[in-house]
Amino acid sequence: MLNEGRIDLLERAPLLKRLLKARAFQPAMMLATLLVFTLAILAGIAGTPAGSRNFGIVFVWIVWWALLIVVLVPFFGRLWCTICPIPAPGEWLQRRAIVRRGAARLWTRGLRWPRRLKNMWLQNFGFLAVALFSTIILTRPGVSAWLLLSFLLAGVLLSALYKNRVFCRYVCPVGGFIGLYSLVSPVELRVADPNVCADHKTKDCITGNEFGYGCPWMVFPGSLTRNAYCGLCFECLKTCPKNNIVLNLRPFGSDLTVAKERRLDEAYKAFIMLGCALLYSAVLLGPWGWLKDWANMDTLPHWALYAASFLSANLVLLPGLFGLSVWIGRSASGSGQPLRRLFVDYAYTLIPLGLAAWIAFSTGFVLVNGSYALTVLSDPFGWGWDLFGTAGMHWTPLGATIIPFLQVGVLTAGLMAALNTAYKIARQHGIPHRAAFVEALPVSGFALVVTVGFLRLYLG
């Protein structure tokens, strides 16, 4: 079906629809990733402390991270959430089943998640906490392993206390930015006709039926207008008796101009992701060795100063400078919109730029360090094994000559998308072309300065 520039992949590929409706599909994928996840934890705890020789470091923070940020999120949105192993044990305990449709009543205390926490703030602060210690997490297998194990245990604990996937929806630091950046993705799960959902009395996608569970992400597909909180579990595809669920291919960035659900917590997620990408690049790629030592906690006073600067840059400096640019645009254009609304609205222009920055950073990182994957595949614990004959391979950085071109291309595309989004958002404020251009101009300048900053770090 072709509808408003969208192509229904389920109609074009019936085999894909059969696969996604099969109850065994998601558990099989989750079991596979859970096996790798468990190996990463065990390698981190019992394997060599040398990060470049440890499966837990190389496969989680190089291979998985690059796959997630360069391929899965930009092109498939929340597809990683379909197969993520972290919520699996807790969800299977809730359902008391893995493949078959288990008992109608979930095995949980059924507590109510606090209303004031039904947002992205916990995920924002969780990501900041992980990012603050990232230099340590990325280089110390034991620390990385305990962090991964804590995610798994938190998922189980919250599943025991609350219904559905509270951990994924409100707590997971990774799920937060995947949800935000999935707004750019060209894939969306929606309903073919919202009126069918509105007229349908039993709402099987919420309550569940003999074919599947009610949405574990606590989302009503009939009102979905953005990708942010749909975890692509496809339970609604299984339970919908009206055959009203579609999986569309659409233009990139379609959700960025959906105005009605913009929020301050999501706006701050955009600042935090952009700020962390900038600071990661400065710490890990910049010429300031002392900065990397501070981030790596060479002394407690140095780290404390680094932590204060890191948090201030993400929570105060970057949003403050952005807010100043928004205020200038508002004053120059004579816009009558409240400053808070403009601040939140224009923050969505930073989503494609932030995603591009992470892709540029991760592309260079994986091409330079990806060869470690072959080594640890044969010797995951660093114990001298050689399972596939690749343990003796030497570190071989790839693409040294093309990495700068890739980074410039990706960042330029991200900047263009940001500028285009800024203008579209300005026009949503009900002002004519010239005023919209003036209102969006300072924000566009902000995006340009940030892009130049990234290029300065990458190109030297």
Side-chain angles (χ1 to χ4, degrees):
M1 182 177 69
L2 185 64
N3 183 26
E4 296 180 352
R6 271 122 167 113
I7 299 172
D8 181 5
L9 297 174
L10 300 181
E11 186 178 81
R12 294 291 183 91
L15 281 178
L16 175 63
K17 186 173 184 177
R18 287 181 60 186
L19 177 68
L20 297 178
K21 290 187 73 170
R23 287 229 59 85
F25 169 69
Q26 189 182 27
M29 298 300 294
M30 293 169 98
L31 277 170
T33 56
L34 185 59
L35 181 65
V36 177
F37 192 78
T38 304
L39 179 59
I41 293 174
L42 292 176
I45 294 174
T48 173
S52 61
R53 304 289 297 183
N54 192 294
F55 182 89
I57 292 293
V58 174
F59 261 80
V60 173
W61 302 119
I62 298 177
V63 177
W64 168 78
W65 177 260
L67 181 67
L68 178 73
I69 207 70
V70 178
V71 180
L72 291 179
V73 172
F75 295 101
F76 303 100
R78 299 203 75 144
L79 183 62
W80 168 252
C81 299
T82 307
I83 62 175
C84 178
I86 293 175
E91 187 168 75
W92 293 340
L93 283 172
Q94 267 192 353
R95 296 174 175 178
R96 285 163 288 173
I98 296 179
V99 176
R100 65 177 176 80
R101 173 69 163 91
R105 186 181 179 85
L106 296 176
W107 193 46
T108 172
R109 289 287 304 277
L111 301 180
R112 287 181 178 273
W113 185 250
R115 185 180 180 85
R116 64 176 56 188
L117 296 180
K118 289 183 175 180
N119 48 53
M120 207 175 267
W121 286 113
L122 277 181
Q123 293 171 314
N124 288 345
F125 292 120
F127 186 87
L128 270 179
V130 173
L132 195 55
F133 292 95
S134 60
T135 308
I136 297 169
I137 294 169
L138 266 59
T139 55
R140 294 169 172 77
V143 176
S144 177
W146 286 111
L147 176 70
L148 298 178
L149 185 59
S150 70
F151 284 174
L152 198 68
L153 295 176
V156 172
L157 177 63
L158 291 176
S159 294
L161 297 176
Y162 303 96
K163 290 181 179 179
N164 300 313
R165 289 195 181 189
V166 162
F167 175 80
C168 301
R169 178 70 189 267
Y170 300 117
V171 179
C172 179
V174 177
F177 79 76
I178 292 179
L180 190 76
Y181 285 158
S182 70
L183 302 182
V184 177
S185 162
V187 175
E188 65 176 13
L189 185 144
R190 298 289 188 273
V191 297
D193 184 354
N195 293 324
V196 171
C197 298
D199 294 337
H200 187 219
K201 301 300 182 188
T202 59
K203 300 287 190 291
D204 294 39
C205 58
I206 298 298
T207 61
N209 58 27
E210 67 271 30
F211 301 109
Y213 297 91
C215 178
W217 286 78
M218 298 158 280
V219 168
F220 175 47
S223 61
L224 264 181
T225 56
R226 306 187 307 158
N227 284 350
Y229 304 108
C230 170
L232 293 180
C233 65
F234 299 106
E235 288 296 334
C236 56
L237 180 65
K238 301 179 181 76
T239 57
C240 180
K242 303 292 185 180
N243 195 29
N244 198 35
I245 302 296
V246 295
L247 187 67
N248 288 327
L249 191 63
R250 64 178 191 179
F252 280 96
S254 297
D255 287 350
L256 296 174
T257 52
V258 177
K260 72 173 186 178
E261 295 182 66
R262 291 176 185 147
R263 304 183 335 210
L264 185 62
D265 56 325
E266 292 183 356
Y268 255 84
K269 171 61 75 180
F271 292 124
I272 289 169
M273 292 307 299
L274 186 67
C276 285
L278 196 57
L279 292 168
Y280 267 39
S281 301
V283 171
L284 299 177
L285 304 178
W288 309 288
W290 58 268
L291 184 58
K292 190 171 184 178
D293 291 339
W294 286 21
N296 210 17
M297 207 179 283
D298 62 341
T299 67
L300 191 56
H302 282 166
W303 183 83
L305 189 57
Y306 166 78
S309 304
F310 186 93
L311 295 175
S312 299
N314 278 288
L315 297 175
V316 180
L317 181 62
L318 196 63
L321 292 174
F322 184 82
L324 178 62
S325 69
V326 171
W327 178 80
I328 293 172
R330 178 176 180 265
S331 302
S333 66
S335 171
Q337 297 292 333
L339 185 60
R340 177 191 167 100
R341 182 192 169 185
L342 296 180
F343 178 81
V344 172
D345 283 359
Y346 280 116
Y348 287 77
T349 64
L350 303 181
I351 293 174
L353 181 59
L355 179 57
W358 278 105
I359 292 173
F361 169 78
S362 303
T363 299
F365 197 66
V366 72
L367 287 177
V368 170
N369 298 295
S371 61
Y372 288 127
L374 295 175
T375 306
V376 302
L377 201 59
S378 279
D379 188 14
F381 292 87
W383 289 346
W385 297 355
D386 194 5
L387 298 175
F388 304 105
T390 58
M393 291 188 67
H394 297 291
W395 172 59
T396 309
L398 301 174
T401 56
I402 65 169
I403 288 173
F405 294 99
L406 294 175
Q407 291 172 324
V408 169
V410 169
L411 284 168
T412 302
L415 175 62
M416 292 298 105
L419 301 185
N420 183 48
T421 303
Y423 176 74
K424 288 181 176 177
I425 288 174
R427 291 306 302 268
Q428 288 176 339
H429 298 147
I431 53 180
H433 163 72
R434 181 178 176 78
F437 178 79
V438 172
E439 185 181 279
L441 190 59
V443 171
S444 301
F446 177 90
L448 177 62
V449 169
V450 170
T451 303
V452 171
F454 277 111
L455 290 174
R456 179 73 178 83
L457 287 169
Y458 294 148
L459 303 181

